[in-house]
Amino acid sequence: MGWTRVRLSEAAAAPSALSLMSLMQHLTNVERHWIRNRFGGRNLPMAYNDAFAPADPANAPSVYQRLREEWTASRATLAALDLEAVYVHPHHGPMSLRWLYIHLIREYAGHIGHADLLRQSIDGKTFS
């Protein structure tokens, strides 16, 4: 099926387990992976093995708290680094902290768009 006028005008449906909570889990892993492990030199396991698995509503407070704690730990790691600090990726070579900031801005920007669509499906509010 191609990109027809009808297909282009269809509303999104949720064919996956993507949720605001799974985005928080994913971003927790992103912070830990890039900042604390790669640039901070740690070897911490990922906080979530499958960040996009169906979310259990009972875990929402702890998922949110864990993300906030990861942000705090990331800030502490970054405060000790210069913008020209470098992580050498085994396949892509040297990456500066300056590059990482740009990468994370792009990562968060994309997910903020996802989060807005998910939020709209929860509260029904749209903004123009």
Side-chain angles (χ1 to χ4, degrees):
M1 187 169 232
W3 294 100
T4 66
R5 291 178 188 184
V6 172
R7 294 293 299 190
L8 289 172
S9 64
E10 288 177 359
S16 72
L18 183 64
S19 66
L20 289 170
M21 206 158 94
S22 64
L23 284 175
M24 286 189 290
Q25 292 175 161
H26 171 66
L27 291 171
T28 300
N29 280 348
V30 165
E31 293 278 329
R32 180 170 289 191
H33 173 75
W34 278 105
I35 297 173
R36 294 214 292 156
N37 283 347
R38 288 194 168 176
F39 277 83
R42 305 287 302 271
N43 191 24
L44 302 169
M46 289 296 96
Y48 301 97
N49 291 329
D50 185 359
F52 292 107
D56 180 349
N59 295 334
S62 65
V63 167
Y64 178 64
Q65 183 60 33
R66 198 170 197 179
L67 176 58
R68 291 177 53 91
E69 289 167 0
E70 199 63 41
W71 283 336
T72 299
S74 290
R75 283 189 198 110
T77 299
L78 293 170
L81 299 172
D82 182 84
L83 278 177
E84 299 309 320
V86 172
Y87 164 76
V88 180
H89 190 280
H91 301 293
H92 304 293
M95 299 174 163
S96 71
L97 185 57
R98 187 181 307 275
W99 173 88
L100 176 62
Y101 277 122
I102 293 167
H103 175 74
L104 291 176
I105 289 168
R106 291 176 61 198
E107 177 87 18
Y108 272 83
H111 292 313
I112 288 169
H114 301 138
D116 192 44
L117 291 172
L118 291 163
R119 186 219 25 96
Q120 284 180 26
S121 72
I122 293 168
D123 67 16
K125 293 181 183 173
T126 59
F127 303 97
S128 51

